[in-house]
Amino acid sequence: MQRHHISLTVNGDSHELNIDPRQTLLQVLREDLELHGTHLGCDSGDCGACTVLLDNEPVPSCLVLAADADGRAVVTVEGLVQNGEPHAVQKAIVAHGGVQCGYCTPGIVVSSVALLQENPHPNEQQVREAIAGNLCRCTGYQKIIAAVVEVGAESGF
Amino acid sequence: MKPFEFFSPITLAEASRILADHNGQGRALAGGTDLLIRMKRKQWTPRAVVSLNRVAGLNEIALNGDLKLGARVTLNQLIRSQIIRAHFPVLAQTARNMAGVQVRTLATIGGNLCNASPSADMAPPLMALNARAVIIGVEGERIVPLDEFFVGPGKSVLQPGEILREILVPRPNDFTRASYHKLEHRQAMDIAMVGVGVSVQIEHRTSNIENCSDVRIVLGAVAPTPLRAKRAEEILRGNILNEENIAHAARVAAEEAKPIDDVRSSMWYRREMVEVLTRRQLMELGDSRLEIGD
Ligand SMILES: Cc1cc2nc3c(=O)[nH]c(=O)nc-3n(C[C@H](O)[C@H](O)[C@H](O)COP(=O)(O)OP(=O)(O)OC[C@H]3O[C@@H](n4cnc5c(N)ncnc54)[C@H](O)[C@@H]3O)c2cc1C
Ligand code: FES
Ligand code: FES
């Protein structure tokens, strides 16, 4: 099989990788870089479990060819942790009881962080819109939404 | 996915040549939100995938005379663009009602049109606004009215080696109003059962009677391609936008639809809903209390 060379920055670290052109960004993150925080759900863009930031914008990594991400920067849920401290969104979702099985959680965290970057003080409706592409089978969303709204309300700028 | 060779050219000419060399076995890649799904399901097994990601100039939004929308403009770019919000709010609103934020980061306007799904949400409003497609091939450029761009489900006029470069939309004047409504099972992340795009040119005759000098009505998801309801338009063109004329036109639009029964909806329901959506939007657009340009 023909291999394809790419450079990828993931959570601040640069990687030179030889990939199969068929690999999705999600597969490269999980299989080649062993970053298992980004989850595979539907593999078709519907569930949001695989959400990462690509050049700072949220994308479903199951629909991105890794070859097409050459030269770009990726942030996964692992990259949101600073000096061992979980991100404010992660802490708030835990504190509000917004995690049950946890399968959707990394995607929801990344989508919420993307929203807060663009709009530091979102209201409930804006949070709902921002995570409309993230399915959760367990929590019923209310606690997740309350958590993200609270992070926005408490952020100092 | 079946094996393929990946290309990421930096000019359109090169992209077009690679696609032409593969003689129908190549596929352009924009956001990949339709393409990758088809490839994973092995519905499509291209031998070459040609990314348009590094081709310069394809993601511009510019308004000098006509609006120029690069084929690689994403749905999120449309939503954020000041030009679109100020002069073509219907396009920002349509994009906002498509998919979720993540998919909209990737999904492009060109991909939505070239995928040629009968339910593609961008088609009805752009056709209602009389948009044209600028197509580049190895032999040069051609411009096709969007009305003539779609051939059947999944098929456009694009030939092997041809790439959609941009969409041109005439600048609306102060008397243009346009809207698009779709009916879906859920409020987010769903494909339209029926979509109706309408644009009207309003001529003010007296203070509260709206005369309609031109109108375009485009039906989505109710025929093999997005469809102009031309007989319905004829009823309104040059006439007063009153309840009676609008109801008549909406009924005729429903007759013009050629819907099918499928998992999303029945033929009967789709036809009824064409009438409802058409009537509702014309009533809204014809309401003289509305701020023009809204
Ligand atoms: C979860 C989810 C929700 C969705 N919701 C909606 C929705 O609400 N409404 C809707 O209409 N669609 C929806 N879609 C479908 C899809 O996202 C859109 O059609 C999108 O705009 C496709 O754009 P793309 O850039 O991803 O296309 P791609 O997948 O890159 O390409 C699609 C097709 O067009 C061709 N192509 C792309 N660009 C060009 C070009 N410039 N020249 C020539 N050929 C080209 C490709 O070769 C391919 O055949 C959804 C998809 C997903 C996964
Ligand atoms: S796994 Fe990518 S959206 Fe579901
Ligand atoms: S917590 Fe189980 S899917 Fe969300």
Side-chain angles (χ1 to χ4, degrees), chain A residues 43 51 58 62 68 118 129, chain B residues 40 51 53 80 96 102 105:
Chain A
D43 209 18
T51 306
C62 69
D68 208 29
E118 207 186 313
E129 266 183 51
Chain B
K40 287 182 195 199
S51 169
N53 225 331
R80 288 177 194 157
R96 228 178 128 194
Q102 298 96 314
T105 305

Side-chain angles (χ1 to χ4, degrees), chain A residues 49-92:
Chain A
C50 66
T51 306
V52 300
L53 301 181
L54 181 61
D55 290 340
N56 239 359
E57 306 255 6
V59 298
S61 59
C62 69
L63 292 186
V64 177
L65 281 183
D68 208 29
D70 184 23
R72 305 177 72 184
V74 179
V75 175
T76 68
V77 69
E78 289 92 344
L80 299 174
V81 174
Q82 301 272 311
N83 308 318
E85 273 284 297
H87 191 279
V89 169
Q90 293 174 301
K91 290 190 200 167

